[in-house]
Amino acid sequence: MTASSGRADAAATTDATDNRSSGSAVDALVHLRADGVSLLVDVRGGLLPAVVHWGDDLGPLAAEDAAAVVLAAAAPLANSAPDEPVRLALVPEPRTGWLGRLGLVGERDGQGWSPAFTTTAATLCGAALPTGLTEAGAGALRVTATDAVAGLTLALDVELTPDGVVRARATLGNDGADPYRVHELGVTLPVPPRARELLDLTGRWGKERVPQRHALTVGTHLREGRRGRTGFEAPTVLTAGVPGFGFGHGEVWGVHVGWSGNHRHWAERLPTGEHTLGGSELLLPGEVTLASGAEYETPWVYGVHGHGLDAQAARLHRMLRRRTAHPRSPRPVTLNVWEAVYFDHDLERLTALADAAAALGVERYVLDDGWFRGRRDDTRGLGDWEVDEDVWPDGLDPIADHVHGLGMELGLWFEPEMVNLDSDLARAHPEWVMGTGGRVPVTSRHQHVLDLANPDAAAHVLERMSAIIGRYGVDYVKWDHNRDLVDPGSGRDGRPVVHAQTLAAYRLMAELRRRHPGLEIESCSSGGGRVDLGVAEHTQRVWVSDCTDPLERQQMQPWTAQLLPLEYLGAHVAADVSHQTRRTSSVAFRAATALFGHFGIEWDLTRATPGQLAELSGWVELYKAERGLLHTGRLVRQDVPAEDGLQVWGVVADDRSRALFQLATLTRPATAPPGRITLRGLDGERRYRVTPLTASREAFGFWNAPPWFGLPSADGAVASDGVTPQPRPARPDDVPRGTVLTGRALAVSGLQAPEAVPETSLVLLVEAVD
């Protein structure tokens, strides 16, 4: 066989004298351990690194033990298969006989499409990796490999964080003289054969993060996002686990691509027995063509193992909270004026709304779409980041000064990546509008996409935004992104630019925060269309969904929390009648739902009744009192059969001294009363008082309170035995005393749920008493 860059001879590249690399082949095993997770990586024989074990901690390993683990994991040779073991590398290579999804898909005029990489260098946390076994805790492994014939260099970064999260990425360099076209470069992680059930998320506008399950059968489960943004239907975390896994049980492995552009997630089960999870950026044709000396770096692909989905989520939450850029200050109660006024900006009305908000204890006031030139509806003005002189003849100073004078932060809405054709910007620079083929792409919300990959366009947006932010002392930017990228070609030459556009958006966010220290950014994208770990590097909040209906939010918020902790999740109390579903709900149900997130309000408070304002004020006080717990503790979601119509979820403090749960009745249960619920996550040996914080019949629709509430009996005495049925249902003036149980009893025996009408929520405070 000739020595061409397209050969797939499985044996040829195991010889370090093959002249494909200029350095010495690496020959090492690396065992990283952190927070109960082991990652054993084989970097021997000059071959690309392969994960031998990713999962529960193997404990400390001697060199012979690690070699034995590798040997035990090696599959026997099969009939009608290559004569040497097929290697599943982090970037799988076809030349080894691998028949699953490939790591690198690319070519140079039909050559170099099946490279044979040989490792030339490896470091662990920056230090050269010695031959043999290296044991370490959390750490970052970097392996470099080359193929001189193909003219390529591949660098692989593999990390195990202190929280037990694996993350990996690849960087491909073109060492040849001619351009190299990259079609895909992805990372693949193995999972054991017992991981036979898949869970990922889907959704649509106004109903994001809908879970779906099915068996992992032979073949490929491929999820592609082609919207030019993360998307409502993004899998979020693609998880494989033992059949029947839930929030609190069952071993699971999951992957997430930390990227806000086009993406792929996959799960694969091969006829040869391998089970894998993987991810990559989805590149459009010709999007990444490497000139000589150029490189392409993939997004990080995150791998998360745990026993139960809550354990998986907890690792991600701890990892995010450990970052220096993570929001540390108490998450302010936020009022957004969008659903109160829409485009009808009027200083008197907005000032009155600010006064009402401040009286309730609101800490951040956000002026939404409609403040800039010509923006009286969504058909025009987008991109003209100048204050509308007709609506705001004195600029934004009157409202900005008023808001700041009330002690609130000021937030302002921008949509930096978008433009209306009916705008001064589009008329002056039509070449800044994305498109290809000499045609104008289809509109969406009457708008088009601004090509921020064009440095001139990006610089213009940066300067206009920075000027407004600085001029009015803007503390917070609601960064919207209200359409998919259709025909996303550069306005200069029509070439696809989703990759470059995504990086340009990240750069713009980073530069604005550099120029304006303390500025916070919310990622909003038609609601929850841009929720991922890529944008989370640059933002401090995400808008979960444009749908503020609490019944819908009871699904979306807990599942968004599979990736992001509650302090990231924008959750607002909206009007009585939902603007999205037309469903009517109580203040209590709306507020209890928003409590478990970054609490806010999206309601014309000037139209609320005094009783509603008084009730809402109590919820604001409760949020302020408990946000320290809600935004630092561990998420716990109970596994409750769907037929019960209940949802139980909450947060337990790290030291397990306190917890806050909510019991939401979503639909009418199949039985009445619905039966017992359990509360996980507490210390089994400690005793806890469980107190219902919200138990008025009028607000929550309780038909009958269970005896453990400790409500006064008819004569005003509390039932002493904890068993005697209450002679009457709860009254608004009753003060529940709760009950005391051990953490073990709460986890395995539980408490009777009240018989409640649908769309109500009971908040439970759990406090250790010893």
Side-chain angles (χ1 to χ4, degrees), residues 55-246:
D56 283 330
D57 191 2
L58 294 171
L61 297 176
E64 59 270 23
D65 297 325
V69 173
V70 176
L71 181 64
L77 297 179
N79 290 331
S80 192
D83 293 334
E84 296 193 14
V86 175
R87 184 178 182 84
L88 170 56
L90 274 165
V91 175
E93 299 173 280
R95 59 101 183 176
T96 69
W98 174 251
L99 299 177
R101 288 188 60 83
L102 301 179
L104 172 61
V105 180
E107 47 82 31
R108 193 194 317 270
D109 293 331
Q111 300 298 311
W113 57 269
S114 181
F117 289 106
T118 300
T119 57
T120 58
T123 60
L124 183 63
C125 301
L129 193 66
T131 298
L133 174 67
T134 297
E135 284 246 333
L141 172 67
R142 183 174 179 87
V143 178
T144 304
T146 62
D147 181 347
V149 175
L152 298 171
T153 294
L154 182 68
L156 289 170
D157 293 296
V158 188
E159 296 183 11
L160 182 66
T161 73
D163 324 284
V165 176
V166 174
R167 68 174 192 166
R169 69 182 176 191
T171 304
L172 184 71
N174 179 17
D175 302 328
D178 297 324
Y180 188 86
R181 287 171 286 278
V182 181
H183 304 302
E184 184 173 16
L185 180 57
V187 170
T188 298
L189 294 167
V191 296
R194 61 184 179 275
R196 290 290 179 88
E197 185 177 6
L198 294 179
L199 168 73
D200 59 8
L201 306 181
T202 183
R204 60 176 177 84
W205 177 85
K207 195 173 179 65
E208 293 89 336
R209 259 73 69 193
V210 178
Q212 57 182 10
R213 288 180 181 254
H214 54 83
L216 176 53
T217 56
V218 173
T220 304
H221 174 69
L222 177 63
R223 297 290 308 279
E224 293 188 335
R226 296 178 176 271
R227 293 180 178 270
R229 52 177 169 168
T230 321
F232 312 117
E233 75 284 11
T236 307
V237 181
L238 172 56
T239 294
V242 297
F245 65 85

Side-chain angles (χ1 to χ4, degrees), residues 622-668:
L622 178 61
Y623 169 74
K624 289 182 177 180
E626 299 297 343
R627 59 187 166 189
L629 165 63
L630 291 165
H631 298 163
T632 62
R634 178 167 176 156
L635 178 70
V636 175
R637 296 162 294 183
Q638 295 293 139
D639 292 293
V640 180
E643 67 178 16
D644 288 358
L646 305 178
Q647 181 159 278
V648 183
W649 61 301
V651 175
V652 177
D654 283 342
D655 64 2
R656 296 190 289 180
S657 62
R658 301 178 78 249
L660 203 66
F661 284 92
Q662 72 165 301
L663 163 59
T665 302
L666 306 182
T667 62
R668 298 190 71 191

Side-chain angles (χ1 to χ4, degrees), residues 60 218 328 345 380 389 420 448 596 759 763:
V218 173
R328 303 292 174 191
H345 283 207
R380 54 189 166 165
E389 301 90 340
N420 289 132
H448 290 267
F596 289 80
E759 300 175 40
V763 177

